[in-house]
Amino acid sequence: RKEVEQDPGPFNVPEGATVAFNCTYSNSASQSFFWYRQDCRKEPKLLMSVYSSGNEDGRFTAQLNRASQYISLLIRDSKLSDSATYLCVVKGGSYIPTFGRGTSLIVHP
Amino acid sequence: DVKVTQSSRYLVKRTGEKVFLECVQDMDHENMFWYRQDPGLGLRLIYFSYDVKMKEKGDIPEGYSVSREKKERFSLILESASTNQTSMYLCASRESGTNTEAFFGQGTRLTVV
């Protein structure tokens, strides 16, 4: 079983829609969780960290469910510019962040 | 702003050549990583380094080696390039610590012919 799993999509949604992605992880000792965004032919960049109590940044909400070992990302009022691949990242006690394969989002007019 | 710089955006090399990919970061980060990214496979860790002269194998180290002589520089070496090493290579760095962000270079798209 892969350590971090994501639905690759693509999720194809109209502008203004609300869309949610989940990411499951296998290591129950994982300590840090992140969502990264990667635009086509660009490097990944941090979108937001995920905190135990859940956190929000504008239209984006991230949540952590330790009992079920998943994190989620909710995007409200989708914009065309939200089209990208969203990478889930999990880190345990080691130096190494583990990346999911990414979920592709396409927002259309 | 943290800057991670990779020496080339695009590179074309011949099979059997020795290839050097350079990565430099300017934020005094302890940890540095080399990944390759292929369609459908996501980011796969090749090697990482948690300090100068320290290196550890990642998930797919075969055919690669690394060098970290200075804290700011982490080099990936393809000893004898092969066509299956055609890929996007991404370097990243981060501070030690639990909740620290990884910063990526812009990537090097390597084609081995």
Side-chain angles (χ1 to χ4, degrees):
Chain A
R1 179 184 168 188
K2 192 164 174 24
E3 289 185 51
V4 179
E5 295 204 50
Q6 295 182 251
D7 181 345
F11 285 64
N12 207 318
V13 303
E15 272 186 289
T18 295
V19 62
F21 313 132
N22 280 348
C23 164
T24 59
Y25 60 95
S26 59
N27 183 356
S28 59
S30 297
Q31 298 174 3
S32 310
F33 307 89
F34 309 87
W35 283 102
Y36 277 68
R37 172 194 167 125
Q38 185 173 24
D39 294 304
C40 189
R41 300 187 181 279
K42 299 275 190 166
E43 72 274 22
K45 292 185 179 178
L46 179 68
L47 177 67
M48 57 197 302
S49 300
V50 185
Y51 302 120
S52 298
S53 54
N55 47 300
E56 193 173 300
D57 182 2
R59 298 181 293 109
F60 298 84
T61 300
Q63 297 215 307
L64 167 63
N65 185 316
R66 283 194 185 273
S68 301
Q69 294 184 203
Y70 73 86
I71 66 172
S72 63
L73 178 68
L74 180 81
I75 305 175
R76 288 181 299 277
D77 189 24
S78 298
K79 311 290 184 192
L80 296 176
S81 56
D82 293 334
S83 297
T85 297
Y86 292 84
L87 302 169
C88 166
V89 183
V90 175
K91 187 182 160 310
S94 73
Y95 301 98
I96 308 168
T98 302
F99 287 77
R101 296 184 184 186
T103 297
S104 175
L105 172 65
I106 301 168
V107 182
H108 57 82
Chain B
D1 270 359
V2 173
K3 195 145 185 173
V4 181
T5 304
Q6 294 182 227
S7 50
S8 307
R9 288 297 302 272
Y10 300 94
L11 214 49
V12 180
K13 295 291 181 180
R14 294 194 181 278
T15 301
E17 275 193 77
K18 191 168 186 175
V19 181
F20 294 86
L21 302 183
E22 306 286 346
C23 175
V24 177
Q25 49 97 0
D26 65 359
M27 282 301 291
D28 204 37
H29 287 169
E30 293 85 4
N31 303 161
M32 296 188 75
F33 307 85
W34 275 106
Y35 294 88
R36 65 178 280 177
Q37 187 173 34
D38 301 286
L41 297 178
L43 281 157
R44 292 182 292 166
L45 182 65
I46 304 171
Y47 267 96
F48 71 99
S49 168
Y50 52 90
D51 206 345
V52 177
K53 297 192 188 292
M54 309 302 286
K55 57 189 178 185
E56 295 284 344
K57 293 179 180 178
D59 299 319
I60 51 163
E62 297 78 20
Y64 303 94
S65 62
V66 290
S67 171
R68 191 154 180 215
E69 296 296 317
K70 293 185 177 181
K71 194 172 187 180
E72 67 270 19
R73 186 180 297 269
F74 192 33
S75 304
L76 180 70
I77 303 150
L78 285 65
E79 298 291 342
S80 176
S82 63
T83 54
N84 63 12
Q85 292 179 309
T86 291
S87 187
M88 169 68 87
Y89 289 88
L90 287 158
C91 173
S93 76
R94 60 183 287 275
E95 282 184 52
S96 289
T98 301
N99 214 36
T100 58
E101 175 184 354
F103 294 88
F104 283 84
Q106 77 277 28
T108 297
R109 184 163 293 280
L110 172 67
T111 302
V112 183
V113 298

